[in-house]
Amino acid sequence: MILIISLIAIAFVMIFFEVILPGGILGVLAAICIIAATVFAIQDFGLLAGALIFFAAVIGIFVFVLVELKLLANTKYGGKLFLRASIDGHSNPVTSDETLIGQRGETLTRLNPTGMISINGKKYEAFSQDGYIERGQPVTVLNRDNFRLIIQKTT
């Protein structure tokens, strides 16, 4: 009986650390401990006792994990393990349209090969087909990509 209780206790300890440091290995070892405890219970006390031990251990581990997650989330260390706020993200809106193709502008930053340009007082991200272009150089818009303009140095 002590061996069965010890195996179940070891399984609970492994599950405790599996929740904190997930990886799967401790969970598999805990499952092996539960199965071994069930086998020893069947050998010593019969099939009904073995089934009761198995289901009690599985339900106990499930409840233990739920309680651990609830309590751990409210501790100092749990705050570092769990996400507390939702992440709101969005895609940047397309800032350029087809009407900019052929227009002339000026580089606001050095393009190596990407940077910022200005067309009619508005800023746009740009990609230089010519490679490196210094700041303050005149450029012409050749095309547009998803979120940037493809430009060429104007001579």
Side-chain angles (χ1 to χ4, degrees), residues 4-90:
I4 296 169
I5 294 171
S6 298
L7 285 171
I8 292 173
I10 291 169
F12 272 80
V13 170
M14 287 185 194
I15 291 296
F16 173 79
F17 286 111
E18 177 69 29
V19 169
I20 295 173
L21 303 167
I25 294 173
L26 292 175
V28 170
L29 292 175
I32 291 171
C33 286
I34 296 296
I35 292 170
T38 303
V39 168
F40 288 129
I42 290 172
Q43 288 175 351
D44 292 347
F45 304 107
L47 184 61
L48 181 62
L52 287 174
I53 294 282
F54 177 77
F55 289 115
V58 169
I59 291 170
I61 285 177
F62 180 72
V63 170
F64 179 72
V65 168
L66 290 177
V67 169
E68 182 181 6
L69 290 174
K70 282 289 190 190
L71 293 178
L72 189 63
N74 297 326
T75 66
K76 178 175 125 181
Y77 298 109
K80 296 177 183 175
L81 294 174
F82 298 105
L83 181 64
R84 295 208 178 264
S86 64
I87 298 174
D88 295 325
H90 61 278

